[in-house]
Amino acid sequence: MPRKKENSRGYHQRKVNTREIRQRFLIICEGEKTEPNYFRSFRVSKNVAEVNVHGLGKNPSKLVKSANELNNQDDYDQVWCVFDRDSWTVEDFNNTIKNAETQGFKVACSNEAFELWYVLHFEFLNTGIPRNDYKKKLTYLLGRPYNKNSDTIYDELFEKQSIAIKNAKKLLKQYEPHNPEKDNPSTTVHLLVQELKKFMQ
């Protein structure tokens, strides 16, 4: 029997839909718990993908530097920087996007809070609301107090994930061309979610 080919990293190539699917993800998050807890919950098949998530608790400008350092140590296939508009300066926010793209990294950013992604699982929201109001809105939509650092939110929202993707795409279409710093509300989290979904069990 012929031996399986190995790629440059020594992984056996496995194919689904005629393409190699072994992927290594590095996801660097601005938040220490909210975003990391969500992305660590993806049930990605370990046979076809590896996902390393880091929550730094630092401002966006430091995410790219940390992503560079970690990627240089272990050469990932996809590197994502996840952060919010929050109250960061326009310069800090825009430079983070520019620097990430210059390094070949991908960006999943939200204006103005990551919780917008959660809301889109339930409804289409195209009117900006104060950051603090997302907690109230999600408490109503979930039917229980929203816990920002929940480690169960992924499972609670899983069945509505396709709705959130559809709503996020629809929202971005309203901003053409898209300006992440000004377009409130908006999010590109769905781009990362779609990539991870390709490797789900």
Side-chain angles (χ1 to χ4, degrees), residues 1-121:
M1 180 180 294
R3 294 181 61 188
K4 293 181 180 178
K5 279 185 167 182
E6 293 187 351
N7 62 20
S8 59
R9 293 192 182 88
Y11 297 127
H12 290 307
Q13 293 181 354
R14 304 167 192 267
K15 292 192 175 183
V16 170
N17 295 330
T18 71
R19 60 186 284 275
E20 183 185 351
I21 57 175
R22 178 72 192 192
Q23 286 277 296
R24 302 184 69 245
F25 287 81
L26 173 63
I27 302 174
I28 304 293
C29 303
E30 166 197 348
E32 290 184 273
K33 292 186 177 180
T34 303
E35 298 94 330
N37 285 351
Y38 178 77
F39 289 113
R40 285 176 183 141
S41 298
F42 273 75
R43 292 182 284 274
V44 171
S45 173
K46 293 182 179 179
N47 291 328
V48 296
E50 175 187 340
V51 180
N52 289 315
V53 184
H54 296 262
L56 301 183
K58 298 179 180 178
N59 69 359
S61 63
K62 295 181 179 178
L63 294 187
V64 178
K65 180 180 178 181
S66 296
N68 251 324
E69 292 171 352
L70 290 168
N71 189 48
N72 286 338
Q73 293 172 17
D74 212 354
D75 191 23
Y76 290 87
D77 296 297
Q78 294 194 39
V79 179
W80 287 80
C81 295
V82 181
F83 56 97
D84 298 343
R85 176 66 182 89
D86 286 345
S87 56
W88 305 118
T89 66
V90 171
E91 182 180 21
D92 197 17
F93 185 78
N94 287 339
N95 282 345
T96 299
I97 295 174
K98 180 180 179 180
N99 292 339
E101 292 175 345
T102 298
Q103 296 296 326
F105 301 159
K106 300 180 182 181
V107 169
C109 63
S110 301
N111 190 344
E112 68 183 69
F114 184 77
E115 280 79 6
L116 169 63
W117 169 245
Y118 294 161
V119 170
L120 293 175
H121 286 70

Side-chain angles (χ1 to χ4, degrees), residues 158-171:
F158 178 73
E159 291 185 358
K160 296 181 174 68
Q161 201 171 81
S162 60
I163 296 172
I165 292 172
K166 180 180 178 181
N167 283 334
K169 288 179 177 180
K170 180 180 177 181
L171 187 56

